[in-house]
Amino acid sequence: MSQLPEIVSRIKNAINSATTLEDLRSQKSTIVGDKSELAKISQGLGQLDAAERARLGKAVGQARGEIAELFEKRYSELERARDLRVIDEERVDVTLPTHRHPSGGLHPLTLINNEIAEIFTAIGYQTVEGPELEAAWLNFDALNIPADHPARTMQDTFFIDPLESNLVLRTHTSPSQIRTMLSHQPPIYVICPGRTYRSDELDATHTPVFSQVEGLVIDRGISMSHLKGTLDFFAKEMFGAEVVTRLRPSFFPFTEPSAEVDIFFNGRWIEWGGCGMVNPEVLKTCGVDSNEFSGFAFGMGLERTLMVRHNISDIREIVEGDLRFSKKFGMGGR
Ligand code: DAH
């Protein structure tokens, strides 16, 4: 009985001086458990006489209650301290700079392609695409380009091995006109965008792989003024309302008459593409009755269109895929 206050104060001390949860937890069994000093005293009570047992039992029970309470109190204090420390250590500073991955984006050529498709969809045209590997007959003969035409020579055209396959990498998107007329009855209102190939060296103004967009309209009563009006509309959508177009007489085997379309943009005349009234020979080849139907066609280069509109002096900028170039067109990256 006389040792009890000393034991109690030693245990309380141990509880109060525990500085971490682990520390306190490791002492739990000797402080409050069944094997604790006070538990052992309780267990030995049976050997005492009744009066002594009652006195000591009460005192020990009270002491154990106090200690259990103190233990709980200290335990939750240490728990709260641990939580605060964890919150502090794991704090996220949302203002710190991070490694940013540039997000992807569409190439300027794809963007202008989409833009053109939207411009013509709005006035009722459909977009059709043809293969890049094309039958020589569709790329040349059906377009009234004879076998001895200079465009067919080895210098301009990529022929596919073996030569008897009569396949070429299309040199323009015009074979898509033929494919459309062969597979659809007029009225026809289409644009045909796509990649085209010519055996040119890559330099500031040439690239062996480039892109064109072809336009084709076949309907009753189509005249040159419809062509002019359509090109005016297209040019204004592409270059702004102030742009002016003009047609300059020219020659293409697949159109008669033929013209170059120029635009007056940024203070000068610039050649934009070719156009004309679809040659009745071509209509005949495609089974279109030229007494009933007439039509116009046009074709322009997309790289050239981008270069004019965005003041790009070197076509290689467009084909090389340097992000510093593409970013100006809204392609991802910071
Ligand atoms: N196919 C021509 C070229 O690649 C461009 C062209 C000119 C297309 C006149 C046309 C057209 O449809 O009518 O150079």
Side-chain angles (χ1 to χ4, degrees):
M1 185 69 195
S2 58
Q3 291 162 2
L4 191 60
E6 194 248 308
I7 293 171
V8 169
S9 103
R10 183 155 36 78
I11 292 174
K12 284 186 175 170
N13 235 332
I15 293 174
N16 284 324
S17 55
T19 52
T20 65
L21 267 186
E22 294 70 39
D23 190 3
L24 189 60
R25 235 184 257 133
S26 69
Q27 301 183 63
K28 185 172 181 179
S29 62
T30 56
I31 293 171
V32 289
D34 287 343
K35 298 190 179 76
S36 67
E37 232 170 318
L38 292 180
K40 280 180 192 143
I41 295 176
S42 301
Q43 281 149 26
L45 287 175
Q47 288 146 23
L48 304 173
D49 63 55
E52 187 77 343
R53 184 163 71 224
R55 216 156 53 85
L56 189 56
K58 191 178 170 207
V60 170
Q62 207 171 351
R64 290 184 77 182
E66 279 168 28
I67 284 166
E69 207 175 300
L70 184 67
F71 184 90
E72 287 307 318
K73 188 168 149 264
R74 185 69 187 144
Y75 195 90
S76 41
E77 270 169 22
L78 290 175
E79 216 168 27
R80 193 159 347 102
R82 192 249 349 243
D83 289 350
L84 288 175
R85 199 176 60 243
V86 166
I87 287 171
D88 193 53
E89 281 168 1
E90 295 181 359
R91 186 199 306 274
V92 174
D93 183 352
V94 293
T95 67
L96 281 177
T98 61
H99 296 288
R100 293 185 179 174
H101 294 287
S103 52
L106 297 175
H107 189 273
L109 274 175
T110 308
L111 292 174
I112 199 170
N113 234 315
N114 295 348
E115 192 183 334
I116 292 171
E118 270 174 37
I119 290 169
F120 281 97
T121 301
I123 55 168
Y125 283 55
Q126 283 185 306
T127 302
V128 297
E129 282 176 316
E132 292 171 27
L133 190 59
E134 186 57 284
W137 186 80
L138 291 165
N139 192 79
F140 295 122
D141 304 80
L143 285 159
N144 203 32
I145 303 173
D148 59 358
H149 193 280
R152 294 181 74 138
T153 65
M154 285 296 192
Q155 282 159 28
D156 283 314
T157 307
F158 285 113
F159 290 88
I160 300 301
D161 224 9
L163 276 185
E164 304 79 67
S165 70
N166 285 316
L167 290 172
V168 298
L169 286 175
R170 66 178 173 191
T171 57
H172 50 181
T173 43
S174 301
S176 296
Q177 291 187 21
I178 306 297
R179 287 178 170 274
T180 306
M181 285 189 275
L182 287 174
S183 58
H184 292 78
Q185 293 298 318
I188 290 169
Y189 290 80
V190 293
I191 53 161
C192 319
R195 222 172 260 145
T196 49
Y197 301 83
R198 283 181 207 175
S199 52
D200 287 319
E201 291 293 334
L202 181 62
D203 64 23
T205 52
H206 296 87
T207 154
V209 186
F210 58 106
S211 320
Q212 288 191 336
V213 62
E214 192 83 11
L216 174 72
V217 166
I218 308 285
D219 206 343
R220 293 179 182 85
I222 294 294
S223 74
M224 201 91 182
S225 59
H226 295 116
L227 169 61
K228 170 84 167 123
T230 305
L231 289 171
D232 266 356
F233 165 76
F234 184 22
K236 285 183 165 50
E237 292 287 314
M238 285 315 289
F239 297 99
E242 312 77 40
V243 83
V244 179
T245 63
R246 84 176 168 197
L247 298 183
R248 211 160 19 89
S250 184
F251 173 79
F252 298 102
F254 34 92
T255 44
E256 184 57 37
S258 303
E260 305 282 347
V261 52
D262 297 341
I263 54 165
F264 193 74
F265 184 67
N266 280 346
R268 61 201 171 107
W269 284 105
I270 298 158
E271 190 182 310
W272 188 27
C275 63
M277 300 305 291
V278 179
N279 191 324
E281 283 300 316
V282 174
L283 294 178
K284 195 164 104 191
T285 303
C286 298
V288 176
D289 182 355
S290 59
N291 291 319
E292 189 179 355
F293 293 102
S294 57
F296 65 72
F298 57 85
M300 39 278 289
L302 295 188
E303 287 81 0
R304 182 164 176 74
T305 304
L306 269 181
M307 287 171 82
V308 170
R309 192 169 74 172
H310 300 278
N311 218 358
I312 301 160
S313 55
D314 194 326
I315 201 169
R316 286 169 292 196
E317 299 246 49
I318 300 175
V319 300
E320 277 169 355
D322 189 325
L323 265 180
R324 283 169 297 183
F325 171 78
S326 302
K327 272 181 198 170
K328 291 185 219 145
F329 292 83
M331 189 173 181
R334 296 175 187 94

